[in-house]
């Protein structure tokens, strides 16, 4: 009897195909459902990588690099609890905001707490920049100032501009009417 036409071969092939199918379905399930829990990013430790933006522009000595790294680690350790608290407040604010009848006083209190913590972070960041500047020579301070200004200018420009879209003043959506004016700055 020919092996390819026997029932044993067909049965073995079917069993192997079923096992392979179950294995592949398990891998797909793992990729789509189990792996999604690990896709959020949480900053849990300080990372000191070489930045292509400006580490070389400052021309730091080895001693300055060590002092910079130490100051950055201390700053990270000091501010991380506040950053984590801000994340908790934002989650709480979102959960309150999506309720059918949100408590406006609670939202206002959360926003005030967020503002206070954010203000503290900004003040601490400015003091951190001052500590870094004290380690630099005068020419390095100028380079540091340009570097920091560039980082924040670029960051906020990216946040406020949409590429390929006209500015707010120039655009009206015909089906929605004019765009409301921006909220007044506090």
């Amino acid at each position: 009897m020919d092996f390819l036409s026997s029932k044993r071969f067909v049965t073995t092939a079917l069993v192997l195909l079923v096992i392979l199918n179950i294995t592949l379905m398990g891998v797909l399930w793992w990729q789509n459902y189990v792996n999604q829990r690990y896709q959020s990013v949480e900053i849990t430790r300080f990372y000191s990588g070489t930045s292509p933006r400006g580490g070389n522009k400052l021309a730091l000595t080895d001693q300055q690099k060590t002092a910079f790294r130490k100051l950055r680690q201390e700053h990270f350790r000091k501010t991380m609890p506040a950053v984590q608290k801000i994340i908790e407040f934002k989650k709480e604010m979102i959960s309150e905001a999506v309720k059918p009848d949100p408590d406006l006083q609670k939202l206002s209190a959360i926003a005030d707490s967020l503002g206070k913590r954010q203000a503290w972070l900004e003040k601490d960041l400015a003091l951190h920049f001052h500590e870094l500047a004290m380690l630099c020579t005068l020419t390095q301070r100028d380079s540091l100032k340009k570097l920091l200004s560039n980082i924040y200018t670029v960051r906020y420009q990216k946040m406020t501009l949409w590429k390929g879209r006209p500015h707010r003043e120039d655009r009206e959506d015909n089906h929605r009417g004019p765009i409301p004016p921006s909220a007044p700055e506090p």
Side-chain angles (χ1 to χ4, degrees), residues 22-123:
I22 290 172
T23 304
L24 291 175
M25 293 297 281
V27 168
L28 288 174
W29 174 80
W30 182 77
Q31 282 181 333
N32 291 330
Y33 297 104
V34 175
N35 214 13
Q36 283 180 352
R37 283 187 270 165
Y38 305 106
Q39 289 181 357
S40 65
V41 176
E42 182 177 338
I43 301 171
T44 58
R45 65 184 176 86
F46 172 78
Y47 174 73
S48 177
T50 56
S51 172
R53 288 187 206 159
N56 298 335
K57 291 181 184 177
L58 296 178
L60 299 173
T61 65
D62 289 337
Q63 185 179 9
Q64 286 175 318
K65 287 179 186 177
T66 304
F68 262 56
R69 189 175 301 114
K70 183 179 176 187
L71 283 174
R72 289 176 58 213
Q73 287 173 340
E74 289 172 8
H75 174 72
F76 179 83
R77 280 192 208 104
K78 189 164 97 175
T79 58
M80 197 61 207
V83 170
Q84 290 173 339
K85 194 65 175 173
I86 286 173
I87 292 169
E88 290 175 22
F89 278 137
K90 286 187 178 186
K91 286 180 181 178
E92 185 179 347
M93 185 167 53
I94 289 169
S95 69
E96 184 66 31
V98 298
K99 289 181 180 177
D101 190 25
D103 183 358
L104 297 180
Q105 289 179 343
K106 185 175 180 180
L107 285 174
S108 179
I110 293 170
D112 290 342
S113 296
L114 280 169
K116 288 176 186 174
R117 281 184 170 67
Q118 192 66 42
W120 179 85
L121 278 176
E122 293 297 327
K123 179 184 172 190

Side-chain angles (χ1 to χ4, degrees), residues 120-182:
W120 179 85
L121 278 176
E122 293 297 327
K123 179 184 172 190
D124 193 67
L125 185 63
L127 293 174
H128 173 64
F129 290 157
H130 172 72
E131 290 173 339
L132 292 176
M134 291 295 101
L135 296 173
C136 297
T137 64
L138 288 177
T139 56
Q140 289 173 332
R141 282 185 199 167
D142 290 339
S143 297
L144 180 65
K145 181 181 176 183
K146 289 176 187 174
L147 174 70
L148 294 174
S149 295
N150 187 35
I151 289 172
Y152 286 99
T153 301
V154 169
R155 178 179 292 169
Y156 289 114
Q157 282 177 350
K158 285 182 181 178
M159 288 172 44
T160 57
L161 295 178
W162 289 359
K163 294 181 179 178
R165 298 193 75 178
H167 290 287
R168 217 173 221 287
E169 298 82 23
D170 301 337
R171 182 173 61 94
E172 283 191 10
D173 292 337
N174 293 332
H175 62 285
R176 293 186 189 144
I179 296 173
S182 301

